[in-house]
Amino acid sequence: MATYLQIDDLTKSYSEELLFESVTFGIDEGDKIGIVARNGTGKSTLLKIIAGEEAPDSGSVIFRADIRVGYLAQTPEFAPGSTVLESCLAHAAGATAKAVTDYQAALASGDPELINAASAEMDAASAWDYEDRLTQLLTQLHITDLSARTDTLSGGQRKRVALARLILERPDLMILDEPTNHLDIEVIEWLESYLSHSRVTLLLVTHDRYFLDRVCNRIVELDGRHAYFHAGNFDYYLRRRAERLEAMTAEQERLRNTLRRETEWMRRQPQARAGKAKYRIDAYHELKERTRVDLTERNVNLDVAAGYIGSKIFEAHDICKAYGDKKVLDHFTYTFARYEKVGIIGPNGVGKSTFIKMLQGLVEPDSGTWDVGSTVRFGYYSQDGIAFDETKKVIDAVTDILEDVSLDNGARHYSPMQFLTRFLFSPPDQQKYIHTLSGGEKARLHLATVLMRQPNFLILDEPTNDLDIVTLGLLEEYLADFEGCVIVVSHDRFFLDSIVDHLFVFEGEGKVSDFPGSYSDYREHQRRQARSAGKEAAATADQQASRKEKPRLTERKRKMSFKEQKEFEALSQSIDTLTAEMKAIDARFASGEIIDDAAALSARYAEIKDLLDTQEMRWLELSELQ
């Protein structure tokens, strides 16, 4: 297996804070590696260093000379004023980019002469394959307006355009920083399927645990400034991590017992050890350093009980809301029960955030009424983040909200400084200016300011975007036992499965359906419906064929044509054949035998790899039509 990248002794610090040191590992062809760590330990910084966006304090990053590398930043950037189409074509060959741009403009104009001229230009530039891939990819990523300026797009739209641009580059190695942030679930599942089936090599950071579990075959954990490596997916990593911590704890206990004996020896009168070997004294000091390793896991402390909540929560009566022709709610009626926990799902832009703002009175409905119980006290975690003055220090901003944090109906009192330490803000951290905080630190601060008011109805709008995996796990445990009401808007499938009792499914055009179950239950329900619909369609087709009736044209999602079905079957067979041939070549190279035709085999290996990349992309495109 070819090595794509070697990382040796990487060390990085900011000011006096050491993020990681002596990180060393390699990335081989076909690896799909996920990096996990707490916020603030340097995950994104490590990716930036590998991608060449930042420089390390020391160490090296060495790529194989002939590989193509693509990098997706957590916040993608585009050329000022560029359109979606221009951004997607940014790295295409000049003739190809111009031909596709002219062709798309001609199609938009509808002028037959312009279309003919643009088609001839496409022929001359051999750009049809590129244009086909571009069109298919943008359709799958729900990008429809190619003329839209990227600086007017939402965060989710910009992320999808950046993904399309990256995939079109066909890199050998993809470096992805939080690729699922701001994407709706349907696109996340498409990306998950694409990456898990593709032969592309991956290095990624994500908080999405299902994504890690289904895509990655290796996990790198940054912990205590060092890196630990685990072969296997995220679930396997969790088991091995628990074993590692248990073994390290036992080793630390053994070292402490040894240190106690050596300390007694060192405390004796100097005469008693005057003739002792110097190596034992040196060994004592080394042992003392080794026992200073702190294995205590500092976790966010979410021990904040909900305030009392009465039996009446809220009633929605015939709520309607629209922005122009776009309906958000159409005669929505619902009575919310005590201790209810509901998840809200649906495509981006369908009105999920508007719904929860209306519930709190932040947005007025066009008609209908909300009747909220008198004991309800909302705690709102907004995806827009905290509305603090970023020129203030952390401690000053929190003190402005409450000078005394009273919990458990006054049974416990904390100063703002004490309360912030429960959210991993040390006294030095509390003196930082808010604008210097990382995304994860701002998310923790936002969560602290929500919980310090002791709400009994939590509304969480995309809480998983900037919280690390450890904090998400603690938040899930907290919400499961929370003696109040919860509404969660999230694209994180694991988070939804862990918390909610049922789902509000925003389907568009103001329609909201209530599904009784978790997100995984809902997806299985959809798959059963799709299978049932497929069987019904097949039965109808058989009946029509038996009666030799002419098929009627109906408006429905396009299915595979006969020609495409044959192409799909041929691709499946070809991919299997090429994969088997590639494994045979791998086996020959790994056998250690003398290979007379090594150069030819290497060339064939590279040829097979390119063929597989092309065929697998087309296979994925056709599979969407099944």
Side-chain angles (χ1 to χ4, degrees):
M1 193 66 70
T3 297
Y4 274 1
L5 170 64
Q6 184 60 43
I7 297 160
D8 290 315
D9 288 327
L10 276 191
T11 297
K12 181 67 177 180
S13 59
Y14 286 118
S15 300
E16 297 180 357
E17 183 180 1
L18 179 62
L19 293 179
F20 50 80
E21 61 180 342
S22 302
V23 172
T24 298
F25 65 98
I27 300 177
D28 294 333
E29 180 183 359
D31 279 346
K32 290 180 168 65
I33 301 175
I35 299 177
V36 299
R38 296 173 183 275
N39 285 334
T41 54
K43 301 186 297 294
S44 292
T45 301
L46 178 59
L47 289 193
K48 288 177 182 177
I49 291 172
I50 295 171
E53 300 287 316
E54 286 193 23
D57 297 340
S58 60
S60 61
V61 178
I62 302 172
F63 290 93
R64 204 178 79 183
D66 58 342
I67 69 164
R68 301 183 304 275
V69 180
Y71 172 54
L72 178 73
Q74 190 169 151
T75 305
E77 295 183 358
F78 304 95
S82 63
T83 66
V84 168
L85 181 61
E86 289 167 348
S87 297
C88 289
L89 296 174
H91 299 106
T96 300
K98 183 178 183 305
V100 174
T101 301
D102 291 347
Y103 180 68
Q104 290 290 336
L107 288 178
S109 72
D111 187 325
E113 291 186 8
L114 286 178
I115 293 174
N116 288 335
S119 297
E121 186 182 2
M122 290 284 287
D123 289 335
S126 300
W128 288 110
D129 178 63
Y130 192 94
E131 199 275 339
D132 285 344
R133 289 194 296 116
L134 171 66
T135 303
Q136 289 277 358
L137 188 56
L138 294 180
T139 300
Q140 288 161 337
L141 291 172
H142 302 169
I143 301 169
T144 54
D145 186 0
L146 303 188
S147 63
R149 287 178 41 153
T150 53
D151 51 15
T152 66
L153 301 179
S154 67
Q157 291 169 325
R158 290 171 65 86
K159 181 62 71 76
R160 282 182 276 136
V161 172
L163 277 168
R165 179 176 63 183
L166 178 64
I167 293 172
L168 283 166
E169 293 174 23
R170 288 186 169 178
D172 301 301
L173 170 64
M174 283 188 184
I175 301 174
L176 310 176
D177 192 357
E178 297 290 1
T180 64
N181 268 12
H182 307 294
L183 298 182
D184 59 45
I185 294 178
E186 185 178 351
V187 175
I188 290 172
E189 291 181 336
W190 177 87
L191 181 63
E192 185 179 275
S193 176
Y194 168 75
L195 293 177
S196 60
H197 287 92
S198 170
R199 296 185 61 83
V200 69
T201 301
L202 287 175
L203 179 65
L204 64 91
V205 166
T206 181
H207 61 263
D208 190 315
R209 286 147 292 181
Y210 281 157
F211 198 89
L212 282 169
D213 218 30
R214 293 164 184 172
V215 172
C216 295
N217 55 28
R218 290 177 65 194
I219 300 292
V220 176
E221 178 192 10
L222 295 179
D223 185 26
R225 301 173 181 173
H226 299 288
Y228 299 90
F229 308 94
H230 306 271
N233 62 10
F234 182 71
D235 185 60
Y236 177 77
Y237 147 74
L238 289 176
R239 296 197 300 271
R240 292 301 303 272
R241 180 179 185 270
E243 293 170 3
R244 173 172 63 83
L245 291 177
E246 185 177 346
M248 290 176 68
T249 302
E251 174 66 8
Q252 283 293 299
E253 185 60 31
R254 186 187 68 80
L255 291 175
R256 280 193 289 269
N257 289 335
T258 303
L259 180 64
R260 279 193 290 270
R261 293 195 300 270
E262 293 300 294
T263 301
E264 291 176 5
W265 178 82
M266 288 290 291
R267 285 174 178 168
R268 294 174 191 164
Q269 292 299 318
Q271 296 89 341
R273 65 169 191 267
K276 300 292 184 181
K278 182 177 181 297
Y279 82 87
R280 186 170 178 183
I281 298 174
D282 293 339
Y284 166 78
H285 291 293
E286 181 183 346
L287 181 64
K288 196 171 182 180
E289 286 299 314
R290 290 173 64 190
T291 56
R292 286 176 179 168
V293 176
D294 184 9
L295 295 180
T296 303
E297 295 200 64
R298 293 182 65 232
N299 290 327
V300 172
N301 187 338
L302 299 179
D303 181 20
V304 181
Y308 169 77
I309 189 167
S311 58
K312 180 178 180 180
I313 310 303
F314 79 78
E315 297 174 1
H317 300 284
D318 209 30
I319 303 292
C320 293
K321 181 67 180 178
Y323 292 102
D325 294 333
K326 180 182 176 182
K327 290 183 180 179
V328 175
L329 288 179
D330 187 18
H331 300 286
F332 175 79
T333 297
Y334 188 80
T335 300
F336 207 84
R338 199 179 192 185
Y339 308 133
E340 197 168 333
K341 295 180 173 71
V342 61
I344 298 180
I345 62 172
N348 285 338
V350 78
K352 304 186 295 294
S353 294
T354 301
F355 173 83
I356 58 179
K357 288 177 181 176
M358 282 196 290
L359 169 59
Q360 299 171 85
L362 302 175
V363 172
E364 290 295 323
D366 296 337
S367 62
T369 58
W370 297 95
D371 187 5
V372 180
S374 59
T375 62
V376 171
R377 188 161 62 249
F378 290 117
Y380 179 37
Y381 183 100
S382 166
Q383 66 173 313
D384 299 326
I386 51 179
F388 287 139
D389 179 351
E390 296 215 338
T391 63
K392 286 190 174 184
K393 294 179 180 179
V394 170
I395 185 64
D396 294 335
V398 173
T399 304
D400 286 346
I401 299 173
L402 283 177
E403 294 187 358
D404 177 69
V405 183
S406 174
L407 304 181
D408 298 344
N409 297 317
R412 291 184 292 162
H413 290 268
Y414 296 91
S415 69
M417 179 175 287
Q418 290 172 323
F419 190 74
L420 281 170
T421 60
R422 298 160 62 89
F423 287 80
L424 305 187
F425 286 97
S426 64
D429 290 337
Q430 295 175 27
Q431 299 303 316
K432 291 180 179 178
Y433 289 97
I434 291 175
H435 69 84
T436 68
L437 300 181
S438 68
E441 289 172 322
K442 287 181 179 179
R444 275 192 280 117
L445 180 58
H446 188 12
L447 186 61
T449 59
V450 169
L451 295 183
M452 69 190 297
R453 297 178 173 93
Q454 208 172 358
N456 53 28
F457 195 138
L458 285 172
I459 298 177
L460 309 176
D461 191 3
E462 295 295 354
T464 64
N465 278 349
D466 289 303
L467 294 176
D468 59 53
I469 287 176
V470 175
T471 303
L472 282 177
L474 294 169
L475 181 58
E476 286 159 0
E477 293 175 7
Y478 172 73
L479 293 175
D481 297 330
F482 183 71
E483 294 185 353
C485 297
V486 179
I487 288 180
V488 178
V489 179
S490 181
H491 298 139
D492 189 317
R493 298 155 294 173
F494 190 99
F495 193 77
L496 289 171
D497 280 351
S498 301
I499 296 166
V500 306
D501 308 313
H502 65 111
L503 300 171
F504 285 160
V505 182
F506 278 63
E507 300 176 9
E509 294 301 314
K511 183 179 179 182
V512 180
S513 60
D514 185 7
F515 179 82
S518 69
Y519 176 77
S520 291
D521 294 334
Y522 171 70
R523 287 295 286 137
E524 181 56 34
H525 172 70
Q526 283 189 313
R527 284 189 282 268
R528 285 197 301 268
Q529 282 189 321
R531 287 194 293 268
S532 176
K535 289 177 181 178
E536 290 178 8
T540 301
D542 288 343
Q543 290 172 4
Q544 289 177 342
S546 66
R547 291 194 300 266
K548 295 183 179 180
E549 292 181 354
K550 281 187 176 182
R552 295 179 180 176
L553 295 176
T554 58
E555 290 185 5
R556 63 191 187 330
K557 182 179 177 181
R558 189 174 78 82
K559 297 293 184 180
M560 278 191 199
S561 65
F562 178 78
K563 181 180 177 182
E564 287 171 330
Q565 182 63 44
K566 289 296 183 185
E567 182 187 1
F568 184 75
E569 293 169 359
L571 281 171
S572 299
Q573 184 176 353
S574 177
I575 288 169
D576 290 342
T577 302
L578 289 172
T579 301
E581 185 180 353
M582 179 176 274
K583 288 181 178 178
I585 294 174
D586 275 332
R588 283 195 65 185
F589 280 125
S591 67
E593 66 183 66
I594 298 174
I595 302 174
D596 296 329
D597 56 343
L601 274 180
S602 296
R604 176 58 181 162
Y605 190 93
E607 181 185 1
I608 292 172
K609 183 178 179 301
D610 288 340
L611 283 170
L612 280 171
D613 286 344
T614 302
Q615 292 185 8
E616 287 174 343
M617 172 63 83
R618 180 59 177 158
W619 185 93
L620 282 169
E621 292 169 355
L622 291 173
S623 70
E624 294 291 316
L625 301 177
Q626 281 190 312

